[in-house]
Amino acid sequence: MIEGRSGEVNMTAKGYPEVHSYRWSKNGSFIPRRSDGYGQSPRVTSDGAALPVPPLTLNVLYPAVVFNITESIEVAEGESAQLECSADGNPLSEDAITWRYQGSTGTQLDSVNTEPGHSLLTIMNATKNDAKKLECIADNGIGVASIRTAQLIVLYRPVILKGSSPPACGC
């Protein structure tokens, strides 16, 4: 059926002995027959093998999918880095998007979800230890979670790792 339009579902049954009666139900509740004569007209009524359906508004549920992410960001050590992630899905609550370092198991990073489907991750005072891949995860409980990766690059001054003594002088 097309959203906003009416339609009809017809489920004619054949059998022996011949089928004379039909009962329609939704979520365990019977849909009243058109001929039952209710004081207040229900929105949907059945008519034998046919179920006329009035214009509908459909709420189609579908898995969350990350469609936009800051793929790479470069900051100097001590600066803050801000990464964005956007997702679509239905339903999509404000906490449907989370962040974590790639390879970590369940440790979520603190992020700000400004609205359903949009998340900002800020890493304050970035250090060389923060230079890793991060994952944006969108999960609304339908289907599998959608994961996209971002790379944080932290620029820092060279560090002498091991001192060495000058070569012996043969003067």
Coordinates of all heavy atoms in Angstrom, one line a residue, residues 98-155:
T98 N 27.4 6.4 19.4 CA 28.5 6.4 20.4 C 29.9 6.4 19.7 O 30.0 6.1 18.5 CB 28.4 5.2 21.3 OG1 28.3 4.0 20.5 CG2 27.1 5.2 22.2
W99 N 30.9 6.7 20.5 CA 32.3 6.7 20.0 C 33.1 5.8 20.9 O 32.9 5.7 22.1 CB 32.9 8.1 20.1 CG 32.3 9.1 19.1 CD1 31.2 9.9 19.3 CD2 32.8 9.5 17.8 NE1 31.0 10.7 18.3 CE2 32.0 10.5 17.3 CE3 33.9 9.0 17.1 CZ2 32.2 11.0 16.1 CZ3 34.1 9.6 15.9 CH2 33.3 10.6 15.4
R100 N 34.2 5.2 20.3 CA 35.2 4.4 21.0 C 36.5 4.4 20.2 O 36.4 4.6 19.0 CB 34.7 3.0 21.3 CG 34.6 2.1 20.1 CD 34.1 0.7 20.4 NE 34.0 0.0 19.1 CZ 33.1 -1.0 18.9 NH1 32.2 -1.3 19.9 NH2 33.0 -1.6 17.8
Y101 N 37.6 4.1 20.9 CA 38.8 3.8 20.2 C 38.7 2.5 19.5 O 38.2 1.5 20.0 CB 40.0 3.9 21.1 CG 40.4 5.3 21.5 CD1 40.2 5.7 22.8 CD2 41.0 6.1 20.6 CE1 40.6 7.0 23.2 CE2 41.3 7.4 20.9 CZ 41.2 7.8 22.3 OH 41.5 9.1 22.6
Q102 N 39.2 2.4 18.2 CA 39.2 1.1 17.5 C 39.9 0.1 18.3 O 41.0 0.3 18.8 CB 39.8 1.3 16.1 CG 39.6 0.1 15.2 CD 40.1 0.4 13.8 OE1 41.2 0.9 13.6 NE2 39.3 0.0 12.8
G103 N 39.3 -1.1 18.4 CA 39.9 -2.2 19.1 C 39.5 -2.3 20.6 O 39.8 -3.3 21.2
S104 N 39.0 -1.2 21.1 CA 38.6 -1.3 22.5 C 37.3 -2.0 22.6 O 36.5 -2.0 21.7 CB 38.5 0.2 23.1 OG 37.4 0.8 22.6
T105 N 37.1 -2.6 23.7 CA 35.8 -3.4 23.9 C 34.9 -2.7 24.8 O 35.0 -2.8 26.1 CB 36.2 -4.9 24.4 OG1 37.0 -4.7 25.6 CG2 36.9 -5.7 23.4
G106 N 34.0 -2.0 24.3 CA 32.9 -1.4 25.1 C 33.2 -0.1 25.8 O 32.3 0.5 26.2
T107 N 34.4 0.3 25.9 CA 34.7 1.6 26.5 C 34.3 2.7 25.6 O 34.9 3.0 24.6 CB 36.2 1.7 26.9 OG1 36.6 0.5 27.6 CG2 36.5 2.9 27.7
Q108 N 33.3 3.4 26.0 CA 32.8 4.5 25.2 C 33.4 5.8 25.6 O 33.8 6.1 26.7 CB 31.2 4.7 25.4 CG 30.5 3.5 24.8 CD 29.0 3.8 25.0 OE1 28.5 4.8 25.4 NE2 28.2 2.8 24.6
L109 N 33.6 6.7 24.6 CA 34.2 8.0 24.8 C 33.0 9.0 25.1 O 31.9 8.8 24.5 CB 35.0 8.5 23.6 CG 36.2 7.6 23.3 CD1 36.8 7.9 22.0 CD2 37.3 7.7 24.4
D110 N 33.3 10.0 25.9 CA 32.2 11.0 26.1 C 32.0 11.9 24.9 O 33.0 12.5 24.4 CB 32.6 11.9 27.4 CG 32.5 11.1 28.7 OD1 31.7 10.1 28.7 OD2 33.2 11.4 29.6
S111 N 30.8 12.0 24.5 CA 30.5 12.8 23.3 C 29.2 13.6 23.6 O 28.5 13.3 24.5 CB 30.3 11.9 22.0 OG 29.3 11.0 22.2
V112 N 29.0 14.6 22.8 CA 27.8 15.4 22.9 C 26.9 15.1 21.7 O 27.3 15.3 20.5 CB 28.1 16.9 22.9 CG1 26.8 17.7 23.0 CG2 29.0 17.2 24.1
N113 N 25.7 14.6 21.9 CA 24.8 14.3 20.8 C 23.8 15.5 20.8 O 22.9 15.6 21.6 CB 24.0 13.0 21.1 CG 25.0 11.8 21.0 OD1 26.1 11.9 20.4 ND2 24.6 10.7 21.7
T114 N 24.1 16.4 19.9 CA 23.4 17.7 19.8 C 21.9 17.5 19.4 O 21.1 18.3 19.8 CB 24.0 18.6 18.8 OG1 24.1 18.0 17.5 CG2 25.4 19.0 19.2
E115 N 21.6 16.4 18.7 CA 20.2 16.1 18.3 C 20.3 14.6 17.8 O 21.3 14.1 17.6 CB 19.8 17.0 17.2 CG 20.6 16.9 15.9 CD 20.2 17.9 14.9 OE1 20.6 19.1 15.0 OE2 19.6 17.5 13.9
P116 N 19.1 14.0 17.8 CA 19.1 12.6 17.3 C 19.8 12.6 15.9 O 19.5 13.3 15.0 CB 17.7 12.2 17.2 CG 17.0 13.1 18.2 CD 17.8 14.4 18.2
G117 N 20.8 11.7 15.7 CA 21.4 11.5 14.5 C 22.7 12.4 14.3 O 23.3 12.3 13.2
H118 N 23.1 13.1 15.3 CA 24.3 13.9 15.1 C 25.1 13.9 16.4 O 24.5 14.2 17.5 CB 23.9 15.4 14.7 CG 25.1 16.2 14.3 ND1 25.6 17.2 15.1 CD2 25.8 16.1 13.2 CE1 26.6 17.7 14.5 NE2 26.8 17.1 13.3
S119 N 26.4 13.6 16.3 CA 27.2 13.5 17.5 C 28.5 14.3 17.3 O 29.1 14.2 16.2 CB 27.5 12.1 17.9 OG 28.3 11.9 19.0
L120 N 29.0 14.9 18.4 CA 30.3 15.6 18.3 C 31.2 15.0 19.4 O 30.8 14.9 20.6 CB 30.1 17.1 18.6 CG 29.4 18.0 17.6 CD1 29.1 19.4 18.1 CD2 30.1 18.0 16.3
L121 N 32.4 14.6 19.0 CA 33.3 14.1 20.0 C 34.5 15.1 20.1 O 35.1 15.5 19.0 CB 33.9 12.7 19.5 CG 35.0 12.2 20.3 CD1 34.6 11.8 21.7 CD2 35.6 11.0 19.7
T122 N 34.8 15.6 21.3 CA 35.9 16.5 21.5 C 36.9 15.9 22.3 O 36.6 15.3 23.4 CB 35.4 17.8 22.2 OG1 34.3 18.4 21.4 CG2 36.5 18.8 22.3
I123 N 38.2 15.9 21.9 CA 39.3 15.4 22.6 C 40.1 16.6 23.0 O 40.7 17.2 22.2 CB 40.1 14.3 21.8 CG1 39.2 13.1 21.5 CG2 41.4 13.9 22.6 CD1 39.8 12.1 20.7
M124 N 40.1 16.9 24.3 CA 40.7 18.1 24.8 C 42.2 17.8 25.0 O 42.6 16.6 25.4 CB 40.1 18.5 26.2 CG 38.6 18.7 26.1 SD 38.1 20.1 25.1 CE 38.6 21.4 26.2
N125 N 43.1 18.8 24.8 CA 44.5 18.7 25.1 C 45.1 17.4 24.5 O 45.6 16.5 25.2 CB 44.8 18.8 26.6 CG 44.3 20.1 27.1 OD1 44.5 21.1 26.5 ND2 43.7 20.0 28.3
A126 N 44.9 17.2 23.2 CA 45.4 15.9 22.6 C 46.9 15.7 22.8 O 47.7 16.6 22.8 CB 45.1 16.0 21.1
T127 N 47.2 14.4 23.1 CA 48.6 14.0 23.2 C 48.9 12.9 22.2 O 48.0 12.4 21.5 CB 48.8 13.4 24.6 OG1 48.1 12.1 24.7 CG2 48.4 14.3 25.7
K128 N 50.2 12.6 22.0 CA 50.5 11.6 21.0 C 49.9 10.2 21.3 O 49.6 9.4 20.4 CB 52.0 11.4 20.9 CG 52.7 11.0 22.2 CD 54.2 11.0 22.0 CE 54.9 10.7 23.3 NZ 56.4 10.8 23.2
N129 N 49.5 10.0 22.6 CA 48.8 8.8 22.9 C 47.4 8.7 22.4 O 46.7 7.7 22.4 CB 48.8 8.5 24.5 CG 50.2 8.3 25.0 OD1 51.1 7.8 24.3 ND2 50.4 8.7 26.2
D130 N 46.8 9.9 22.1 CA 45.4 10.0 21.6 C 45.4 9.7 20.1 O 44.3 9.6 19.5 CB 44.8 11.4 21.8 CG 44.6 11.6 23.3 OD1 44.2 10.7 24.0 OD2 44.9 12.8 23.8
A131 N 46.6 9.7 19.4 CA 46.6 9.5 18.0 C 46.3 8.1 17.6 O 47.2 7.2 17.6 CB 48.0 9.9 17.5
K132 N 45.0 7.9 17.4 CA 44.5 6.5 17.1 C 43.3 6.6 16.2 O 42.8 7.7 15.9 CB 44.0 5.8 18.4 CG 45.1 5.7 19.5 CD 44.4 5.1 20.7 CE 45.5 5.0 21.8 NZ 44.9 4.7 23.1
K133 N 42.9 5.4 15.8 CA 41.6 5.4 15.0 C 40.5 5.3 16.0 O 40.5 4.7 17.0 CB 41.6 4.2 14.1 CG 42.5 4.3 12.9 CD 42.3 3.3 11.8 CE 43.2 3.6 10.6 NZ 42.9 2.7 9.5
L134 N 39.4 6.1 15.6 CA 38.2 6.1 16.5 C 37.1 5.6 15.6 O 37.0 5.7 14.4 CB 37.9 7.5 16.9 CG 39.0 8.2 17.8 CD1 39.5 9.4 17.1 CD2 38.5 8.5 19.1
E135 N 36.1 5.0 16.3 CA 34.9 4.4 15.6 C 33.7 5.2 16.1 O 33.5 5.4 17.3 CB 34.8 3.0 15.9 CG 35.9 2.1 15.4 CD 35.7 0.6 15.7 OE1 35.2 0.3 16.8 OE2 36.2 -0.2 14.9
C136 N 32.9 5.5 15.1 CA 31.5 6.1 15.4 C 30.6 4.9 15.2 O 30.6 4.3 14.1 CB 31.2 7.2 14.5 SG 29.5 7.8 14.6
I137 N 29.8 4.6 16.2 CA 28.8 3.5 16.1 C 27.4 4.1 16.2 O 27.1 4.8 17.1 CB 29.0 2.5 17.2 CG1 30.5 2.0 17.2 CG2 28.1 1.4 17.2 CD1 31.3 2.5 18.3
A138 N 26.6 3.7 15.2 CA 25.2 4.1 15.2 C 24.4 2.8 15.3 O 24.5 1.9 14.5 CB 24.8 4.8 13.9
D139 N 23.6 2.7 16.4 CA 22.8 1.5 16.7 C 21.5 1.9 17.3 O 21.4 2.6 18.4 CB 23.6 0.6 17.7 CG 23.0 -0.7 17.9 OD1 21.9 -1.0 17.2 OD2 23.5 -1.5 18.7
N140 N 20.4 1.6 16.6 CA 19.1 1.9 17.2 C 18.3 0.6 17.6 O 17.1 0.6 17.8 CB 18.2 2.7 16.2 CG 18.0 1.9 14.9 OD1 18.5 0.8 14.6 ND2 17.2 2.5 14.0
G141 N 19.0 -0.5 17.6 CA 18.4 -1.8 18.0 C 17.8 -2.6 16.9 O 17.2 -3.6 17.1
I142 N 17.8 -2.0 15.7 CA 17.2 -2.7 14.6 C 18.4 -3.1 13.6 O 19.1 -2.3 13.2 CB 16.2 -1.8 13.8 CG1 15.1 -1.5 14.8 CG2 15.7 -2.5 12.6 CD1 14.1 -0.5 14.2
G143 N 18.5 -4.4 13.3 CA 19.6 -4.8 12.5 C 20.9 -4.7 13.2 O 21.0 -4.7 14.4
V144 N 22.0 -4.7 12.4 CA 23.3 -4.6 12.9 C 23.7 -3.1 13.0 O 23.3 -2.3 12.2 CB 24.3 -5.3 12.0 CG1 25.1 -6.4 12.7 CG2 23.7 -5.8 10.8
A145 N 24.6 -2.8 14.0 CA 25.1 -1.5 14.2 C 26.0 -1.1 13.0 O 26.6 -1.9 12.4 CB 26.0 -1.4 15.5
S146 N 25.9 0.2 12.6 CA 26.8 0.7 11.6 C 28.0 1.4 12.2 O 27.9 2.2 13.1 CB 25.9 1.8 10.8 OG 26.7 2.4 9.8
I147 N 29.2 1.0 11.7 CA 30.4 1.6 12.3 C 31.3 2.2 11.1 O 31.5 1.6 10.1 CB 31.2 0.4 12.9 CG1 30.4 -0.2 14.0 CG2 32.6 1.0 13.5 CD1 31.0 -1.4 14.7
R148 N 31.7 3.4 11.4 CA 32.7 4.1 10.5 C 33.8 4.6 11.3 O 33.7 4.9 12.5 CB 32.0 5.2 9.7 CG 30.9 4.8 8.8 CD 31.0 5.0 7.3 NE 31.9 6.0 6.8 CZ 31.4 7.1 6.1 NH1 30.1 7.2 5.9 NH2 32.3 7.9 5.6
T149 N 35.0 4.7 10.6 CA 36.2 5.0 11.3 C 36.7 6.4 11.0 O 36.6 6.9 9.9 CB 37.3 3.9 10.9 OG1 36.8 2.6 11.1 CG2 38.6 4.1 11.7
A150 N 37.3 7.0 12.0 CA 38.0 8.3 11.9 C 39.4 8.2 12.4 O 39.7 7.4 13.2 CB 37.2 9.4 12.7
Q151 N 40.3 9.0 11.8 CA 41.7 8.9 12.2 C 42.1 10.3 12.9 O 41.9 11.3 12.3 CB 42.6 8.7 11.0 CG 44.1 8.7 11.4 CD 44.6 7.6 12.2 OE1 44.3 6.4 11.8 NE2 45.2 7.8 13.3
L152 N 42.6 10.2 14.1 CA 43.1 11.4 14.8 C 44.6 11.4 14.7 O 45.3 10.4 15.1 CB 42.7 11.4 16.3 CG 43.3 12.5 17.1 CD1 42.9 13.9 16.6 CD2 42.9 12.3 18.6
I153 N 45.2 12.4 14.1 CA 46.6 12.6 13.9 C 47.1 13.7 14.8 O 46.5 14.8 14.8 CB 47.0 12.9 12.5 CG1 46.5 11.8 11.5 CG2 48.5 13.2 12.3 CD1 46.5 12.2 10.1
V154 N 48.0 13.4 15.7 CA 48.5 14.4 16.7 C 50.0 14.7 16.3 O 50.8 13.8 16.3 CB 48.4 14.0 18.1 CG1 48.9 15.0 19.1 CG2 47.0 13.6 18.5
L155 N 50.2 16.0 16.0 CA 51.6 16.4 15.7 C 52.3 16.8 16.9 O 51.8 17.5 17.8 CB 51.5 17.6 14.7 CG 50.7 17.4 13.4 CD1 50.6 18.8 12.7 CD2 51.3 16.4 12.6

